[in-house]
Amino acid sequence: MAGSSSIPVVCIDGPSGSGKGTISRAVARAAGWHLLDSGALYRLVALAGAAAGITGDDVPRHAALARAMRVEFGWRPDGDEQVRLDGRDVSAELRSETAGAGASRVAAWPEVRAALLERQRASARAPGLIADGRDMGTVVFPDASLKIFLTATPEERALRRYKQLKDKGSAVNLAALSREIAERDLRDRTRQVAPLRPAADACVIDSTGLNVEAVVARVLDLGVARRLWPQGLKA
Ligand code: C5P
């Protein structure tokens, strides 16, 4: 079965604003493993759909774009991420709430999820993969070596997202953002395919009130206990 290869995979799933992205990046860097930002793929499908002028719920065309789109993830010299979609730099658009909302819409369509499955599994390469998303542990990598489900209170998640967007210079309103996040969470939790929920064998970490270093240290300790990497790695 795909996803049961010998490459070790650590899944970090959870709702918007739970800190998955930050924690996954830090753990991947500390361990020297590859990183899969699966949310970015759903965001890219939404952007590709908009760029192609697809209006409404044209599921087959979105699924075709999900299979065909050419995606390059990289880093700028200043350390910021750089993402290209079919050769176009979409780094800023990708992280907007519009792209997030579009992602959550296309992510509810089984054909789009199926179209992205192999792309996600193919990102498992030696020495290992940190997979960040909603269904990494439940669907994409059911045999992962370690599954983390990261949570935080809705208030804290909205506040984190608010700070993140503000730091990037976006004009944001906390009340509107809280509403958007609540809507997105509800859609992600209640959709028919791959709804957001912890895998039965996931370790749940509530990051409310914890700083990034504390959460990374917890994940690194869990990896040591599973013999995925040596003790003493630093974020
Ligand atoms: O994590 P991020 O905010 O980038 O994800 C955007 C949206 O993509 C989520 O709200 C969710 O609807 C969808 N998604 C998903 N499955 C994943 C990752 C993201 O359905 N594995």
Side-chain angles (χ1 to χ4, degrees):
M1 183 179 70
S4 62
S5 78
S6 57
I7 310 280
V9 176
V10 170
C11 299
I12 305 188
D13 287 306
S16 320
S18 57
K20 289 176 288 103
T22 308
I23 302 302
S24 299
R25 255 201 302 274
V27 172
R29 198 175 306 130
W33 284 20
H34 298 280
L35 177 67
L36 167 65
D37 175 358
S38 61
L41 295 178
Y42 289 95
R43 287 170 181 260
L44 287 163
V45 173
L47 292 183
I54 305 175
T55 51
D57 292 354
D58 190 333
V59 180
R61 281 184 74 198
H62 277 95
L65 287 173
R67 267 186 296 271
M69 65 184 183
R70 209 163 29 82
V71 178
E72 296 154 73
F73 289 102
W75 302 99
R76 291 185 208 282
D78 63 4
D80 279 358
E81 70 171 354
Q82 183 169 45
V83 184
R84 287 181 184 279
L85 171 62
D86 297 321
R88 184 167 64 94
D89 188 336
V90 293
S91 316
E93 272 175 83
L94 187 69
R95 297 300 163 195
S96 68
E97 276 306 295
T98 312
S104 157
R105 205 169 61 91
V106 302
W109 299 332
E111 292 86 341
V112 168
R113 305 199 72 86
L116 289 178
L117 202 54
E118 279 319 307
R119 202 188 271 264
Q120 294 176 83
R121 288 182 176 155
S123 58
R125 281 175 287 127
L129 180 74
I130 307 295
D132 156 359
R134 302 288 190 293
D135 62 341
M136 298 295 99
T138 50
V139 176
V140 182
F141 299 109
D143 302 322
S145 314
L146 171 63
K147 300 178 186 176
I148 310 278
F149 193 84
L150 206 55
T151 61
T153 59
E155 296 74 24
E156 176 137 346
R157 292 191 284 114
L159 202 60
R160 285 182 191 165
R161 200 59 155 219
Y162 174 77
K163 287 187 185 146
Q164 220 173 39
L165 290 168
K166 230 171 155 211
D167 283 350
K168 287 192 176 150
S170 309
V172 274
N173 168 298
L174 184 58
L177 193 60
S178 303
R179 263 197 314 277
E180 276 163 22
I181 287 183
E183 276 169 26
R184 185 133 70 93
D185 282 352
L186 184 69
R187 192 160 44 208
D188 289 350
R189 282 182 212 277
T190 56
R191 68 184 174 213
Q192 295 291 319
V193 275
L196 171 67
R197 60 174 174 79
D201 51 351
C203 307
V204 178
I205 300 180
D206 183 347
S207 68
T208 311
L210 295 180
N211 63 21
V212 172
E213 291 70 28
V215 179
V216 172
R218 287 277 289 281
V219 177
L220 289 175
D221 283 349
L222 287 166
V224 170
R226 309 251 166 136
R227 300 179 190 284
L228 295 175
W229 42 66
Q231 202 146 25
L233 294 185
K234 289 274 169 286

